[in-house]
Amino acid sequence: MAAAIETERLSKLYPGGHGIAELTMTVPSGEVFGFLGPNGAGKTTTIRTLLDLIHPTSGSARLLGLDSRRDSVAIRRRVGNLPGDFGFGRETTGRRALELLARLRGAGTERAAELAGRFRADLDRPLGELSRGNRQKVGLILASFHRPDLLVLDEPTGGLDPMMQEEFLALVGEERDRGATVFLSSHELDEVERICDRVGIVRAGRLIAVERVPELLGRARRKVTVRFADPGGAEELRRLAGVSDVEAADGAVSFHFGGDLDPVVKALAAHHVADLEVSRPTLEEVFLGYYEGEEGAG
């Protein structure tokens, strides 16, 4: 089976210097892939270039085994896309937009009613009268009603309340279970951590990391807090490679550690340990680590 997305040195350069540069990645079919980066990092430019909404400066992309430019019409029949801010005109209703997309894709609209019920979406009010969250619900329906092979979602939970965010995560899991691929950009890193198989991190238009989520978290620095029943443990910990930020206060020692935990465990075993807590980093902490010292990365 062809990969859902393949890019080879894909670049889109703008006169002002923003865009993407030599992006090479592969997203296998059936994967949920999170695409992470702050505003201006190149996420939306990547999505728009993949979908041939803007043309690359150089490089190439293939979606579902098809060339993103030469086969763009065929690709769009098999893709569901939720842009960061979609629009069909303020007076257009969700149902009217749905009927238009169904004709273009040669698809039925039966599933849309089920999705509208799940997301409590009103398809009969003009889009211009809807709040951002309610408009986003309609957008999710328009992207997924035809059971696409590839879902491309740009900030899909923007404006959704917590209950609808959970419904969205359930939908993504169902899409993966039926074999679809989901490519999503997001600022909601806790959601990405829960649902994504792998994540790519983009900085200043360049892809700087692609990792499975557990492996990404596993290599990040852990925070360890230990309480010794006997004195002297803190100084021994300071001498260990990979240990940093050692602080001793109120009978407890806390520090950060990256790498193999075994030397730390052996050092602790030489003392009477009264209490021990090891905290794994969140995806947000890992993500921010890639941007430490990066000017304007907010």
Side-chain angles (χ1 to χ4, degrees):
M1 183 182 296
I5 299 174
E6 296 176 281
T7 67
E8 180 66 31
R9 304 184 71 178
L10 187 68
S11 300
K12 174 60 180 180
L13 305 178
Y14 296 111
H18 299 289
I20 54 174
E22 298 192 342
L23 189 150
T24 297
M25 66 179 178
T26 300
V27 178
S29 296
E31 182 173 78
V32 179
F33 187 91
F35 198 53
L36 310 180
N39 290 335
K43 303 189 302 298
T44 298
T45 295
T46 299
I47 288 173
R48 291 175 62 82
T49 306
L50 288 174
L51 296 175
D52 199 41
L53 300 174
I54 56 177
H55 298 325
T57 305
S58 61
S60 63
R62 297 182 67 82
L63 276 65
L64 305 169
L66 302 173
D67 184 89
S68 65
R69 296 205 60 192
R70 186 178 61 247
D71 304 314
S72 62
V73 174
I75 287 171
R76 288 173 191 176
R77 294 193 185 99
R78 300 173 59 191
V79 170
N81 174 38
L82 175 62
D85 187 16
F86 73 96
F88 282 87
R90 291 182 55 84
E91 300 304 317
T92 303
T93 65
R95 194 171 305 280
R96 174 61 180 150
L98 177 67
E99 292 168 350
L100 173 63
L101 289 177
R103 285 201 304 272
L104 289 173
R105 291 166 172 161
T109 61
E110 298 80 9
R111 190 179 182 224
E114 179 246 320
L115 292 171
R118 289 179 62 174
F119 285 102
R120 302 178 186 175
D122 188 344
L123 296 177
D124 294 310
R125 285 183 62 189
L127 294 173
E129 296 181 5
L130 298 178
S131 66
R132 185 189 177 202
N134 284 323
R135 193 165 59 249
Q136 196 77 346
K137 296 175 187 179
V138 175
L140 287 169
I141 295 168
L142 297 178
S144 56
F145 78 92
H146 58 302
R147 300 187 185 275
D149 297 319
L150 171 62
L151 270 165
V152 180
L153 310 173
D154 194 356
E155 302 291 347
T157 60
L160 297 184
D161 63 40
M163 185 178 295
M164 292 300 101
Q165 290 175 19
E166 290 296 322
E167 196 63 55
F168 166 75
L169 294 179
L171 176 63
V172 170
E174 293 163 12
E175 293 298 294
R176 175 172 53 194
D177 289 346
R178 72 172 178 84
T181 306
V182 182
F183 182 94
L184 63 93
S185 74
S186 179
H187 284 108
E188 300 296 332
L189 299 184
D190 58 333
E191 292 180 357
V192 170
E193 186 172 344
R194 289 172 59 189
I195 198 62
C196 289
D197 301 301
R198 290 190 305 154
V199 297
I201 297 176
V202 62
R203 183 174 67 190
R206 293 185 179 273
L207 191 64
I208 58 173
V210 176
E211 299 267 9
R212 294 190 66 82
V213 173
E215 294 168 357
L216 189 67
L217 297 176
R219 282 209 301 275
R221 295 194 308 165
R222 302 169 178 87
K223 182 176 181 179
V224 181
T225 302
V226 58
R227 189 176 296 275
F228 295 106
D230 59 317
E235 288 308 312
E236 186 173 349
L237 288 169
R238 292 180 198 276
R239 294 193 291 267
L240 291 178
V243 170
S244 62
D245 306 323
V246 179
E247 296 181 359
D250 300 324
V253 178
S254 65
F255 59 93
H256 286 92
F257 184 79
D260 185 3
L261 196 58
D262 186 62
V264 173
V265 173
K266 289 177 178 176
L268 295 177
H271 301 270
H272 184 177
V273 175
D275 194 17
L276 176 67
E277 180 181 347
V278 180
S279 301
R280 298 183 69 87
T282 64
L283 183 59
E284 182 172 7
E285 290 169 330
V286 173
F287 171 75
L288 291 175
Y290 280 96
Y291 280 83
E292 285 181 357
E294 185 72 14
E295 202 172 310

